[in-house]
Amino acid sequence: MFEDLRDLYQEVIFDHNRNPRNFRIIEAADRTVEGFNPLCGDRLTLYLKLAQDTIVDASFQGSGCAISTASVSLMTEIIKDKTIHEAEELFTTFHALLTNKETDLRMEALGKLAVLSGVRDYPARVKCATLAWHTLDAAIKNETHAISTE
Ligand code: ZN
């Protein structure tokens, strides 16, 4: 059972890495922030289109490892049509899942993001998975300078 779940998770990560969703530039983006994870060399630029406090479109450009690419691809899908507040809550839950082993109870709140839960067993890769979210956090707070996980 556990092995099956792990295979499924890996398949979703491979799929998003091979065919990243929302890999494009939003010309009239309301927020554009660059994120960099020097530990691994992952780089991305996140674009957000907002309507009041709702994220109506999200996209990215950049290059990184499979985990960082799958993570940002999944994130751009999941945050679309969410409010800024809901997106921030997801980030908090996701970050807790990856850095604290006792949050399994909230897995269902994460939906598809749960596929990245295996990353917590590899502390060096946690920043690959959270880079997109730290960049989103900066975009929501309307910071325009590039962010770094270090
Ligand atoms: Zn990485």
Side-chain angles (χ1 to χ4, degrees):
M1 178 63 192
F2 177 68
E3 284 299 318
D4 287 350
L5 196 61
R6 210 161 151 120
D7 286 350
L8 172 74
Y9 283 4
Q10 278 181 357
E11 210 159 295
V12 175
I13 291 169
F14 282 137
D15 176 44
H16 276 264
N17 181 47
R18 252 193 324 258
N19 303 301
R21 316 303 197 268
N22 304 303
F23 189 78
R24 57 189 160 81
I25 294 168
I26 297 175
E27 293 296 344
D30 294 298
R31 306 282 163 87
T32 303
V33 179
E34 286 169 41
F36 178 47
N37 171 20
L39 217 60
C40 178
D42 310 313
R43 274 180 196 283
L44 61 89
T45 304
L46 181 69
Y47 304 90
L48 296 183
K49 185 87 189 143
L50 304 173
Q52 272 137 17
D53 66 345
T54 300
I55 300 165
V56 292
D57 199 6
S59 73
F60 77 103
Q61 294 274 276
S63 65
C65 67
I67 300 283
S68 75
T69 303
S71 179
V72 67
S73 171
L74 279 160
M75 186 189 80
T76 56
E77 272 195 333
I78 285 165
I79 62 175
K80 211 176 279 186
D81 299 321
K82 292 239 182 327
T83 64
I84 282 172
H85 178 69
E86 288 167 337
E88 288 279 40
E89 257 183 7
L90 262 178
F91 174 44
T92 306
T93 308
F94 183 60
H95 197 261
L97 172 78
L98 293 188
T99 53
N100 174 345
K101 303 229 174 207
E102 292 173 299
T103 53
D104 296 45
L105 292 173
R106 301 202 56 198
M107 287 284 267
E108 72 279 5
L110 287 166
K112 265 176 138 182
L113 289 179
V115 301
L116 290 163
S117 59
V119 170
R120 66 184 162 172
D121 296 328
Y122 306 92
R125 311 309 299 278
V126 168
K127 283 176 177 168
C128 300
T130 55
L131 172 65
W133 291 86
H134 284 292
T135 310
L136 173 69
D137 186 52
I140 285 173
K141 290 175 177 147
N142 212 2
E143 291 167 14
T144 46
H145 60 86
I147 74 115
S148 171
T149 55
E150 288 300 294

